[in-house]
Amino acid sequence: MLNKKIKMKIFITILLVFSMNFLYAATETDRAIEKYYQEPSAENYMNALQLLQKNMDTTADDTPLHLKMAYLNLVEMQQNLDSLEANYDDLKLPYKFQYANLLLELDQYERALSIYEDLNEAAPKWSCPWRHKGEAYFKMDNLPAAEKALKKSIDCRKEHYDAYIMLADVQNEMGKYKEALETIETGFTYKYKDIEDPAEETVESDVQFLYLEILKNNNLTDKFNKQKEKVKKLFPEDTRLENY
């Protein structure tokens, strides 16, 4: 959720943006946006959104319109987050999972973790909440908790490819280089065997560079050199090559 400080910044910025209307005649779009802020209904949101999109197609300098669009969507997102939170107890488990993932993307780790905890309790064999719980802990730099959650994810579904990749990343950060190597190479054996598409769950360049780093940390010179040639061919423009 956006905290009170961020909400206040949004409100002040909106006031500054629309105070400019006193310097010129307010347009139909400006009036529609102001109406939405005063009465944030779905109908008012769609009206303001459609007018902004229409103006973007016909305005040479559309930077102000992009700013207004960004704030309009930010406020609408907050409205939806507030609604999800208010109705949290009535949400079905898949919706709670998606809500937690959204909060994770917004760096709202503590609330996301509390939802993952609820999901772990309600569906302890469901691998995905454990994996995302591990990601939240990883982003919070709580590596032991991240490792524990990711291992649990794999226990629930041994083919969970992206859980292996993230676990290897965590273990590498922990200095557990041998464990990281075993984890990532085990994960490779399940690529394309999991129910999820690896291309949708991982970034291939990140995976290959992680493997390169893990090989380096394990002092496996021959395998490292082969992997380095591989990434040079696959991602010749990637600036991370400068580190090797």
Side-chain angles (χ1 to χ4, degrees), residues 19 36 54 56 75 78 102 118 128 136 184 200 220-221 231 239:
S19 67
Y36 166 73
K54 180 180 178 181
M56 284 180 178
V75 173
Q78 184 61 50
L102 177 58
D118 288 347
C128 294
I184 197 169
E200 294 180 0
L220 298 173
T221 305
V231 296
T239 57

Side-chain angles (χ1 to χ4, degrees), residues 6-31:
I6 295 175
K7 285 184 178 180
M8 181 57 67
K9 286 184 178 180
I10 293 173
F11 178 70
I12 292 172
T13 304
I14 290 170
L15 289 179
L16 290 173
V17 170
F18 288 100
S19 67
M20 296 297 293
N21 290 339
F22 290 107
L23 303 178
Y24 59 87
T27 66
E28 179 186 9
T29 302
D30 293 327
R31 290 192 294 272

Side-chain angles (χ1 to χ4, degrees), residues 28-45:
E28 179 186 9
T29 302
D30 293 327
R31 290 192 294 272
I33 295 172
E34 290 183 80
K35 183 177 181 181
Y36 166 73
Y37 288 140
Q38 294 170 2
E39 302 174 34
S41 66
E43 180 181 356
N44 289 340
Y45 168 71

Side-chain angles (χ1 to χ4, degrees), residues 89-105:
D89 290 340
D90 297 325
L91 296 179
K92 295 180 180 179
L93 293 185
Y95 295 143
K96 287 184 178 182
F97 178 58
Q98 292 300 326
Y99 177 36
N101 293 345
L102 177 58
L103 294 173
L104 178 60
E105 291 298 321

Side-chain angles (χ1 to χ4, degrees), residues 34-242:
E34 290 183 80
K35 183 177 181 181
Y36 166 73
Y37 288 140
Q38 294 170 2
E39 302 174 34
S41 66
E43 180 181 356
N44 289 340
Y45 168 71
M46 289 305 301
N47 186 43
L49 182 65
Q50 289 170 0
L51 286 170
L52 277 168
Q53 291 173 332
K54 180 180 178 181
N55 288 343
M56 284 180 178
D57 294 334
T58 59
T59 305
D61 181 10
D62 59 2
T63 299
L65 296 174
H66 282 292
L67 286 168
K68 292 176 183 180
M69 176 79 80
Y71 279 106
L72 179 73
N73 287 319
L74 185 59
V75 173
E76 178 64 12
M77 180 182 69
Q78 184 61 50
Q79 294 292 327
N80 283 281
L81 289 173
D82 288 344
S83 178
L84 287 166
E85 188 64 32
N87 296 284
Y88 175 76
D89 290 340
D90 297 325
L91 296 179
K92 295 180 180 179
L93 293 185
Y95 295 143
K96 287 184 178 182
F97 178 58
Q98 292 300 326
Y99 177 36
N101 293 345
L102 177 58
L103 294 173
L104 178 60
E105 291 298 321
L106 294 171
D107 299 337
Q108 303 297 316
Y109 303 130
E110 293 294 345
R111 180 58 181 136
L113 280 170
S114 70
I115 298 174
Y116 293 134
E117 289 282 359
D118 288 347
L119 293 168
N120 294 156
E121 183 176 348
K125 297 298 183 181
W126 187 7
S127 178
C128 294
W130 288 106
R131 207 287 286 159
H132 285 76
K133 183 179 181 180
E135 180 179 350
Y137 278 126
F138 192 12
K139 289 181 175 179
M140 295 173 71
D141 202 32
N142 188 338
L143 301 182
E147 182 184 36
K148 182 178 179 180
L150 291 165
K151 284 184 175 181
K152 183 64 177 179
S153 175
I154 292 169
D155 287 343
C156 293
R157 191 172 93 224
K158 68 176 183 178
E159 302 89 358
H160 200 153
Y161 173 72
D162 65 303
Y164 284 98
I165 302 304
M166 187 169 291
L167 176 58
D169 200 357
V170 169
Q171 291 172 329
N172 187 60
E173 289 294 321
M174 296 175 77
K176 296 183 176 182
Y177 302 133
K178 290 184 178 180
E179 290 93 332
L181 180 63
E182 180 180 355
T183 297
I184 197 169
E185 291 186 339
T186 301
F188 288 154
T189 67
Y190 292 114
K191 191 174 183 180
Y192 304 116
K193 295 180 181 179
D194 191 22
I195 58 176
E196 297 175 325
D197 184 351
E200 294 180 0
E201 303 300 325
T202 59
V203 178
E204 184 63 18
S205 61
D206 292 346
V207 174
Q208 295 302 325
F209 273 97
L210 173 61
Y211 187 39
L212 183 67
E213 180 69 16
I214 290 172
L215 290 172
K216 176 184 176 182
N217 289 335
N218 279 279
N219 298 312
L220 298 173
T221 305
D222 291 342
K223 294 181 73 172
F224 170 82
N225 288 334
K226 290 180 180 178
Q227 179 66 9
K228 183 178 179 180
E229 290 303 311
K230 179 180 178 179
V231 296
K232 285 172 65 177
K233 291 179 180 179
L234 290 174
F235 316 107
E237 304 300 324
D238 198 304
T239 57
R240 284 173 289 187
L241 286 168
E242 299 171 1

